[in-house]
Amino acid sequence: MSNSLHCLCNIISPCRNELSGSILLIQWFFLSVAAILNFFRPVLVLFGIRAQVDLNEEDYNDTWIYMPDGNGEPQVAYLVEPPPDDNRNDGPQIIQFEYYESSKPSAPVVSNLLISDDDVLTTARFKRDTWAEMAEKFNPKLDTKILVHGWKSSTQSNSIKSIRGAYMQRGHINVFAINWKDQADNIYYLRPARYTVQVGRAVAKLIDLLVETKNADPKRIHLIGHSLGAHIMGYAGAYTKYRVGRITGLDPARPAFEDCIGPENHLDRTDGDFVDVIHSCAGFLGFKKPIAHIDFYPNGGNPPQPGCTELNQIFTGCSHGRSYEYYAESINSTKGFYAVPCNSLDEIKGKNCTGQKILMGDPVPHTAEGIYYLKTNSKPEFALGVAWLNL
Protein backbone atom coordinates (compact mmCIF):
# COMPACT_ATOMS: atom_id res chain seq x y z
CA MET A 1 0.00 0.00 0.00
CA SER A 2 1.37 3.38 -0.96
CA ASN A 3 2.34 6.08 1.51
CA SER A 4 -0.29 8.39 0.07
CA LEU A 5 -2.94 5.95 1.29
CA HIS A 6 -1.43 4.99 4.63
CA CYS A 7 -3.74 6.16 7.39
CA LEU A 8 -5.75 8.48 5.19
CA CYS A 9 -8.36 8.54 7.95
CA ASN A 10 -5.99 10.52 10.17
CA ILE A 11 -6.07 13.37 7.68
CA ILE A 12 -9.81 13.33 6.97
CA SER A 13 -11.33 16.49 8.42
CA PRO A 14 -13.04 16.03 10.76
CA CYS A 15 -11.92 12.64 12.09
CA ARG A 16 -13.66 10.98 14.98
CA ASN A 17 -10.44 11.06 16.97
CA GLU A 18 -10.46 14.90 16.61
CA LEU A 19 -6.74 15.30 15.96
CA SER A 20 -5.43 18.81 16.48
CA GLY A 21 -5.17 21.14 13.51
CA SER A 22 -1.39 21.33 13.70
CA ILE A 23 -0.98 17.54 13.60
CA LEU A 24 -3.36 17.30 10.67
CA LEU A 25 -1.40 19.98 8.81
CA ILE A 26 1.94 18.25 9.39
CA GLN A 27 0.54 14.87 8.30
CA TRP A 28 -1.03 16.41 5.24
CA PHE A 29 2.25 18.12 4.26
CA PHE A 30 4.42 15.01 4.47
CA LEU A 31 1.87 12.75 2.80
CA SER A 32 1.41 15.27 -0.01
CA VAL A 33 5.17 15.49 -0.56
CA ALA A 34 5.39 11.69 -0.63
CA ALA A 35 2.58 11.53 -3.15
CA ILE A 36 4.27 14.08 -5.41
CA LEU A 37 7.70 12.43 -5.25
CA ASN A 38 6.50 8.86 -5.64
CA PHE A 39 3.55 9.15 -7.95
CA PHE A 40 3.95 12.10 -10.29
CA ARG A 41 3.74 10.74 -13.81
CA PRO A 42 3.01 12.18 -17.24
CA VAL A 43 -0.64 13.00 -17.74
CA LEU A 44 -2.50 10.68 -20.08
CA VAL A 45 -6.04 10.29 -21.26
CA LEU A 46 -8.05 7.28 -20.16
CA PHE A 47 -11.68 6.97 -21.14
CA GLY A 48 -11.74 10.72 -21.67
CA ILE A 49 -10.65 11.41 -18.09
CA ARG A 50 -7.30 12.97 -17.36
CA ALA A 51 -5.13 10.55 -15.44
CA GLN A 52 -2.16 11.16 -13.16
CA VAL A 53 -0.43 7.78 -13.37
CA ASP A 54 0.33 5.11 -15.95
CA LEU A 55 -1.64 1.90 -15.61
CA ASN A 56 1.37 -0.35 -15.21
CA GLU A 57 0.52 -3.79 -13.84
CA GLU A 58 3.45 -3.63 -11.41
CA ASP A 59 1.87 -0.55 -9.80
CA TYR A 60 -1.47 -2.28 -9.28
CA ASN A 61 -2.72 -1.92 -5.69
CA ASP A 62 -0.14 0.83 -5.17
CA THR A 63 -1.07 3.79 -7.37
CA TRP A 64 -4.19 2.38 -9.02
CA ILE A 65 -6.66 -0.44 -8.66
CA TYR A 66 -9.71 -1.95 -10.32
CA MET A 67 -12.79 -1.39 -8.20
CA PRO A 68 -16.38 -2.24 -9.13
CA ASP A 69 -19.04 0.43 -9.30
CA GLY A 70 -22.50 -0.08 -7.84
CA ASN A 71 -23.50 -2.34 -10.70
CA GLY A 72 -20.45 -4.58 -10.33
CA GLU A 73 -18.67 -3.20 -13.40
CA PRO A 74 -14.89 -2.82 -12.88
CA GLN A 75 -13.59 0.74 -13.06
CA VAL A 76 -10.12 2.22 -12.65
CA ALA A 77 -9.63 3.99 -9.31
CA TYR A 78 -6.51 6.09 -8.72
CA LEU A 79 -4.98 5.73 -5.26
CA VAL A 80 -3.17 9.07 -5.45
CA GLU A 81 -4.15 12.64 -4.79
CA PRO A 82 -6.13 14.34 -7.59
CA PRO A 83 -4.35 17.01 -9.64
CA PRO A 84 -4.57 20.58 -8.31
CA ASP A 85 -7.04 21.61 -10.99
CA ASP A 86 -9.47 18.79 -10.23
CA ASN A 87 -12.48 20.73 -8.93
CA ARG A 88 -15.30 18.29 -9.58
CA ASN A 89 -16.46 18.37 -5.96
CA ASP A 90 -15.90 22.06 -5.24
CA GLY A 91 -18.77 24.27 -4.15
CA PRO A 92 -21.96 23.42 -2.20
CA GLN A 93 -22.56 19.71 -1.77
CA ILE A 94 -26.02 18.17 -2.01
CA ILE A 95 -27.01 14.75 -0.68
CA GLN A 96 -30.42 13.27 -1.39
CA PHE A 97 -32.42 11.23 1.07
CA GLU A 98 -35.06 8.98 -0.50
CA TYR A 99 -37.90 7.54 1.56
CA TYR A 100 -39.87 4.53 0.32
CA GLU A 101 -43.25 3.57 1.76
CA SER A 102 -43.42 -0.21 1.90
CA SER A 103 -47.22 -0.16 1.98
CA LYS A 104 -47.40 1.93 -1.20
CA PRO A 105 -44.82 0.89 -3.83
CA SER A 106 -44.33 4.13 -5.72
CA ALA A 107 -41.81 6.86 -6.39
CA PRO A 108 -39.86 7.86 -3.27
CA VAL A 109 -40.20 11.09 -1.36
CA VAL A 110 -36.89 12.90 -1.85
CA SER A 111 -35.39 15.44 0.52
CA ASN A 112 -32.22 17.36 -0.30
CA LEU A 113 -29.54 18.07 2.27
CA LEU A 114 -26.84 20.68 1.99
CA ILE A 115 -23.58 19.67 3.63
CA SER A 116 -20.75 22.06 4.35
CA ASP A 117 -17.16 21.49 5.45
CA ASP A 118 -16.24 25.14 5.86
CA ASP A 119 -15.73 24.53 9.58
CA VAL A 120 -14.11 21.67 11.47
CA LEU A 121 -17.57 20.33 12.31
CA THR A 122 -19.58 19.47 9.24
CA THR A 123 -23.19 20.66 9.19
CA ALA A 124 -26.20 19.24 7.36
CA ARG A 125 -29.39 21.12 6.59
CA PHE A 126 -32.64 19.66 5.30
CA LYS A 127 -34.83 21.55 2.87
CA ARG A 128 -37.89 22.23 5.00
CA ASP A 129 -40.71 21.53 2.54
CA THR A 130 -39.45 18.12 1.42
CA TRP A 131 -38.49 17.10 4.97
CA ALA A 132 -42.06 17.83 6.15
CA GLU A 133 -43.49 15.54 3.45
CA MET A 134 -41.00 12.81 4.29
CA ALA A 135 -41.66 13.06 8.02
CA GLU A 136 -45.43 12.89 7.44
CA LYS A 137 -45.13 9.55 5.61
CA PHE A 138 -42.61 7.99 8.01
CA ASN A 139 -44.18 5.39 10.33
CA PRO A 140 -42.40 5.21 13.71
CA LYS A 141 -44.20 1.95 14.56
CA LEU A 142 -42.20 0.07 11.90
CA ASP A 143 -38.57 -1.00 11.72
CA THR A 144 -36.36 1.39 9.72
CA LYS A 145 -33.65 0.43 7.24
CA ILE A 146 -31.24 3.12 6.01
CA LEU A 147 -29.12 2.14 2.98
CA VAL A 148 -26.06 3.83 1.52
CA HIS A 149 -23.96 3.01 -1.54
CA GLY A 150 -20.21 3.16 -2.14
CA TRP A 151 -17.76 4.49 -4.75
CA LYS A 152 -19.07 5.39 -8.23
CA SER A 153 -22.58 4.34 -7.32
CA SER A 154 -25.99 5.82 -6.62
CA THR A 155 -29.37 4.80 -5.25
CA GLN A 156 -30.14 3.43 -8.71
CA SER A 157 -27.19 1.04 -8.56
CA ASN A 158 -27.71 -2.67 -7.97
CA SER A 159 -26.05 -2.40 -4.57
CA ILE A 160 -29.03 -0.36 -3.33
CA LYS A 161 -31.85 -1.55 -5.58
CA SER A 162 -31.35 -5.23 -4.75
CA ILE A 163 -31.55 -4.69 -0.97
CA ARG A 164 -34.29 -2.08 -1.18
CA GLY A 165 -36.36 -4.31 -3.46
CA ALA A 166 -36.05 -7.28 -1.12
CA TYR A 167 -37.23 -5.25 1.86
CA MET A 168 -40.07 -3.72 -0.14
CA GLN A 169 -41.13 -7.24 -1.10
CA ARG A 170 -41.26 -8.15 2.58
CA GLY A 171 -43.28 -5.01 3.37
CA HIS A 172 -44.22 -3.28 6.63
CA ILE A 173 -40.95 -1.41 6.92
CA ASN A 174 -39.49 2.08 6.51
CA VAL A 175 -36.71 2.24 3.91
CA PHE A 176 -34.39 5.19 3.32
CA ALA A 177 -31.72 5.31 0.62
CA ILE A 178 -28.96 7.94 0.76
CA ASN A 179 -27.77 9.25 -2.59
CA TRP A 180 -24.29 10.81 -2.48
CA LYS A 181 -23.53 10.04 -6.13
CA ASP A 182 -22.02 13.47 -6.90
CA GLN A 183 -19.37 13.02 -4.22
CA ALA A 184 -18.83 9.30 -4.91
CA ASP A 185 -18.36 9.69 -8.67
CA ASN A 186 -14.67 10.53 -8.79
CA ILE A 187 -11.94 8.42 -10.39
CA TYR A 188 -9.55 9.69 -7.69
CA TYR A 189 -10.62 7.41 -4.85
CA LEU A 190 -9.23 9.53 -2.02
CA ARG A 191 -11.72 12.32 -2.69
CA PRO A 192 -14.85 10.18 -2.12
CA ALA A 193 -13.09 8.45 0.79
CA ARG A 194 -12.83 11.79 2.59
CA TYR A 195 -16.50 12.53 2.01
CA THR A 196 -17.49 9.52 4.11
CA VAL A 197 -17.31 11.70 7.22
CA GLN A 198 -19.63 14.40 5.88
CA VAL A 199 -22.12 11.89 4.53
CA GLY A 200 -22.01 10.00 7.83
CA ARG A 201 -22.82 13.19 9.71
CA ALA A 202 -25.76 13.79 7.37
CA VAL A 203 -27.12 10.31 8.13
CA ALA A 204 -26.66 11.01 11.84
CA LYS A 205 -28.71 14.19 11.38
CA LEU A 206 -31.51 12.14 9.80
CA ILE A 207 -31.48 9.69 12.73
CA ASP A 208 -31.63 12.54 15.24
CA LEU A 209 -34.60 14.13 13.44
CA LEU A 210 -36.50 10.84 13.22
CA VAL A 211 -36.05 10.23 16.95
CA GLU A 212 -36.77 13.80 18.06
CA THR A 213 -39.61 14.75 15.69
CA LYS A 214 -41.24 11.39 14.97
CA ASN A 215 -40.52 9.45 18.17
CA ALA A 216 -38.66 6.76 16.26
CA ASP A 217 -37.02 4.08 18.40
CA PRO A 218 -33.26 4.16 17.63
CA LYS A 219 -33.04 0.48 18.58
CA ARG A 220 -35.27 -0.29 15.58
CA ILE A 221 -33.02 1.65 13.19
CA HIS A 222 -30.70 -0.49 11.06
CA LEU A 223 -27.90 1.10 8.99
CA ILE A 224 -26.62 -0.85 5.96
CA GLY A 225 -23.66 0.29 3.83
CA HIS A 226 -21.57 -1.21 1.03
CA SER A 227 -17.81 -0.55 0.62
CA LEU A 228 -17.22 3.14 1.44
CA GLY A 229 -20.85 3.15 2.53
CA ALA A 230 -19.98 0.79 5.38
CA HIS A 231 -17.64 3.41 6.85
CA ILE A 232 -20.27 6.11 6.28
CA MET A 233 -22.59 4.11 8.51
CA GLY A 234 -19.81 3.76 11.07
CA TYR A 235 -19.52 7.55 11.22
CA ALA A 236 -23.31 7.88 11.35
CA GLY A 237 -23.50 5.53 14.30
CA ALA A 238 -20.74 7.42 16.08
CA TYR A 239 -22.12 10.92 15.46
CA THR A 240 -25.83 10.43 16.11
CA LYS A 241 -27.05 11.40 19.57
CA TYR A 242 -28.93 8.11 19.79
CA ARG A 243 -27.28 4.68 19.66
CA VAL A 244 -28.77 2.64 16.81
CA GLY A 245 -29.74 -0.99 17.16
CA ARG A 246 -27.73 -2.43 14.28
CA ILE A 247 -25.15 -1.57 11.61
CA THR A 248 -24.32 -3.93 8.74
CA GLY A 249 -21.10 -3.46 6.76
CA LEU A 250 -21.00 -5.09 3.33
CA ASP A 251 -17.32 -5.65 2.51
CA PRO A 252 -16.11 -2.38 4.13
CA ALA A 253 -13.60 -0.66 1.84
CA ARG A 254 -9.97 -1.50 2.64
CA PRO A 255 -7.92 1.14 0.71
CA ALA A 256 -7.17 4.11 2.98
CA PHE A 257 -9.01 2.62 5.97
CA GLU A 258 -7.68 -0.75 7.13
CA ASP A 259 -4.18 0.52 7.97
CA CYS A 260 -5.57 3.26 10.19
CA ILE A 261 -4.84 3.10 13.89
CA GLY A 262 -7.89 3.14 16.14
CA PRO A 263 -11.48 1.96 15.64
CA GLU A 264 -12.68 5.57 15.50
CA ASN A 265 -11.40 5.81 11.93
CA HIS A 266 -13.54 3.11 10.34
CA LEU A 267 -16.63 1.01 10.96
CA ASP A 268 -16.24 -1.12 14.06
CA ARG A 269 -18.23 -2.76 16.84
CA THR A 270 -18.42 0.40 18.96
CA ASP A 271 -20.64 2.21 16.43
CA GLY A 272 -23.90 0.43 17.26
CA ASP A 273 -25.51 -2.03 19.66
CA PHE A 274 -24.88 -4.82 17.16
CA VAL A 275 -22.50 -4.63 14.20
CA ASP A 276 -22.19 -7.39 11.61
CA VAL A 277 -19.90 -7.51 8.56
CA ILE A 278 -19.81 -9.68 5.44
CA HIS A 279 -16.26 -9.95 4.05
CA SER A 280 -16.49 -11.02 0.40
CA CYS A 281 -13.15 -9.69 -0.93
CA ALA A 282 -11.11 -9.88 2.26
CA GLY A 283 -7.64 -8.37 2.16
CA PHE A 284 -7.99 -6.89 -1.31
CA LEU A 285 -10.85 -4.45 -1.89
CA GLY A 286 -12.43 -5.18 1.47
CA PHE A 287 -11.21 -5.41 5.08
CA LYS A 288 -9.39 -8.59 5.98
CA LYS A 289 -9.41 -8.34 9.75
CA PRO A 290 -12.57 -8.79 11.83
CA ILE A 291 -13.97 -5.46 13.05
CA ALA A 292 -17.52 -6.22 14.23
CA HIS A 293 -19.40 -8.18 16.84
CA ILE A 294 -19.71 -10.87 14.19
CA ASP A 295 -17.71 -11.16 10.96
CA PHE A 296 -18.68 -13.54 8.16
CA TYR A 297 -16.18 -14.84 5.60
CA PRO A 298 -18.15 -16.56 2.82
CA ASN A 299 -15.85 -18.98 1.00
CA GLY A 300 -12.99 -17.71 3.14
CA GLY A 301 -13.59 -14.09 2.12
CA ASN A 302 -13.73 -14.76 -1.64
CA PRO A 303 -16.37 -16.18 -3.98
CA PRO A 304 -15.84 -19.78 -5.16
CA GLN A 305 -15.44 -18.65 -8.79
CA PRO A 306 -14.03 -16.26 -9.85
CA GLY A 307 -11.67 -14.97 -7.17
CA CYS A 308 -10.79 -11.41 -6.32
CA THR A 309 -7.06 -12.06 -6.02
CA GLU A 310 -6.08 -12.22 -9.68
CA LEU A 311 -5.94 -9.07 -11.79
CA ASN A 312 -7.08 -10.88 -14.92
CA GLN A 313 -10.16 -12.21 -13.14
CA ILE A 314 -11.49 -8.80 -12.13
CA PHE A 315 -13.25 -8.39 -15.46
CA THR A 316 -15.10 -11.69 -15.21
CA GLY A 317 -16.65 -10.98 -11.85
CA CYS A 318 -15.82 -9.15 -8.66
CA SER A 319 -16.44 -10.47 -5.19
CA HIS A 320 -16.52 -6.97 -3.67
CA GLY A 321 -20.10 -6.78 -4.92
CA ARG A 322 -20.99 -10.28 -3.78
CA SER A 323 -21.45 -8.94 -0.25
CA TYR A 324 -24.58 -6.99 -1.16
CA GLU A 325 -25.84 -9.82 -3.38
CA TYR A 326 -25.55 -12.26 -0.47
CA TYR A 327 -27.25 -9.82 1.87
CA ALA A 328 -30.11 -9.00 -0.52
CA GLU A 329 -30.80 -12.70 -1.08
CA SER A 330 -30.73 -13.41 2.66
CA ILE A 331 -33.70 -11.10 3.32
CA ASN A 332 -36.29 -13.45 1.84
CA SER A 333 -34.27 -16.65 1.35
CA THR A 334 -35.99 -19.94 2.13
CA LYS A 335 -32.66 -21.81 2.31
CA GLY A 336 -30.59 -19.36 4.30
CA PHE A 337 -26.85 -18.72 4.52
CA TYR A 338 -25.77 -21.00 7.36
CA ALA A 339 -22.33 -20.35 8.84
CA VAL A 340 -20.15 -22.06 11.44
CA PRO A 341 -17.80 -20.45 14.00
CA CYS A 342 -14.02 -20.33 13.64
CA ASN A 343 -11.29 -19.65 16.15
CA SER A 344 -9.08 -17.63 13.80
CA LEU A 345 -8.62 -16.39 10.25
CA ASP A 346 -6.07 -19.18 9.73
CA GLU A 347 -8.78 -21.68 10.61
CA ILE A 348 -11.06 -20.04 8.05
CA LYS A 349 -8.33 -20.28 5.42
CA GLY A 350 -7.96 -23.96 6.14
CA LYS A 351 -11.74 -24.42 6.20
CA ASN A 352 -11.44 -26.20 9.53
CA CYS A 353 -14.38 -24.54 11.27
CA THR A 354 -17.06 -26.45 13.18
CA GLY A 355 -19.66 -25.67 15.80
CA GLN A 356 -23.14 -24.27 16.26
CA LYS A 357 -24.42 -22.90 12.94
CA ILE A 358 -26.16 -19.52 12.60
CA LEU A 359 -27.63 -17.53 9.72
CA MET A 360 -25.71 -14.79 7.93
CA GLY A 361 -27.33 -11.65 6.57
CA ASP A 362 -30.65 -10.10 7.53
CA PRO A 363 -31.75 -12.85 9.98
CA VAL A 364 -28.45 -13.05 11.90
CA PRO A 365 -29.02 -13.49 15.67
CA HIS A 366 -28.01 -10.32 17.48
CA THR A 367 -26.54 -12.27 20.38
CA ALA A 368 -23.89 -13.95 18.22
CA GLU A 369 -20.22 -12.95 18.28
CA GLY A 370 -16.99 -14.02 16.64
CA ILE A 371 -15.87 -14.96 13.14
CA TYR A 372 -17.81 -17.37 10.93
CA TYR A 373 -17.22 -19.36 7.73
CA LEU A 374 -19.68 -20.60 5.11
CA LYS A 375 -19.82 -21.79 1.53
CA THR A 376 -22.04 -20.39 -1.23
CA ASN A 377 -22.96 -21.14 -4.80
CA SER A 378 -21.02 -19.28 -7.49
CA LYS A 379 -24.23 -17.76 -8.90
CA PRO A 380 -27.78 -17.05 -7.68
CA GLU A 381 -29.29 -18.59 -5.73
CA PHE A 382 -26.14 -18.20 -3.65
CA ALA A 383 -27.53 -19.74 -0.45
CA LEU A 384 -26.85 -23.44 0.08
CA GLY A 385 -28.84 -23.82 3.28
CA VAL A 386 -27.35 -26.49 5.53
CA ALA A 387 -26.46 -28.75 2.59
CA TRP A 388 -22.90 -27.47 2.33
CA LEU A 389 -22.14 -28.70 5.84
CA ASN A 390 -22.40 -32.26 4.53
CA LEU A 391 -20.18 -31.70 1.48
Side-chain angles (χ1 to χ4, degrees), residues 41-234:
R41 306 282 177 86
V43 173
L44 53 85
V45 175
L46 178 70
F47 307 129
I49 301 175
R50 203 164 76 163
Q52 193 177 359
V53 293
D54 294 314
L55 301 184
N56 297 321
E57 187 168 342
E58 61 268 22
D59 294 327
Y60 186 76
N61 205 36
D62 187 27
T63 62
W64 69 282
I65 196 170
Y66 281 122
M67 186 172 291
D69 59 21
N71 293 321
E73 296 297 325
Q75 306 283 346
V76 172
Y78 291 101
L79 305 180
V80 297
E81 294 294 343
D85 59 350
D86 182 85
N87 57 4
R88 276 169 284 181
N89 292 131
D90 289 350
Q93 298 295 316
I94 301 295
I95 296 175
Q96 291 184 322
F97 279 55
E98 302 172 0
Y99 173 69
Y100 294 82
E101 290 184 274
S102 60
S103 59
K104 299 177 181 178
S106 59
V109 178
V110 180
S111 184
N112 293 325
L113 290 87
L114 175 66
I115 62 172
S116 170
D117 56 359
D118 294 334
D119 302 314
V120 173
L121 296 179
T122 302
T123 60
R125 292 181 292 164
F126 276 92
K127 191 175 180 181
R128 288 185 177 276
D129 55 348
T130 52
W131 164 250
E133 182 182 0
M134 181 179 288
E136 181 182 357
K137 295 181 179 296
F138 175 81
N139 187 345
K141 295 180 181 179
L142 301 178
D143 289 341
T144 298
K145 308 291 182 180
I146 304 179
L147 318 177
V148 66
H149 59 82
W151 179 77
K152 271 192 169 292
S153 306
S154 74
T155 51
Q156 296 306 306
S157 299
N158 291 339
S159 58
I160 295 296
K161 291 173 66 177
S162 60
I163 298 174
R164 187 186 74 221
Y167 277 126
M168 299 297 285
Q169 179 183 345
R170 175 188 291 183
H172 303 291
I173 201 166
N174 297 301
V175 178
F176 288 90
I178 290 80
N179 200 347
W180 63 294
K181 63 178 182 179
D182 291 341
Q183 297 78 27
D185 187 18
N186 196 313
I187 196 170
Y188 292 96
Y189 171 84
L190 302 189
R191 183 71 65 84
R194 291 192 179 95
Y195 270 107
T196 56
V197 180
Q198 286 96 322
V199 181
R201 283 186 177 273
V203 177
K205 176 68 172 178
L206 172 66
I207 297 168
D208 294 347
L209 285 171
L210 292 176
V211 174
E212 294 169 358
T213 67
K214 295 296 295 183
N215 295 316
D217 182 356
K219 304 305 179 186
R220 299 183 68 178
I221 294 177
H222 179 189
L223 311 181
I224 306 168
H226 173 241
S227 192
L228 285 178
H231 299 304
I232 287 174
M233 291 317 200

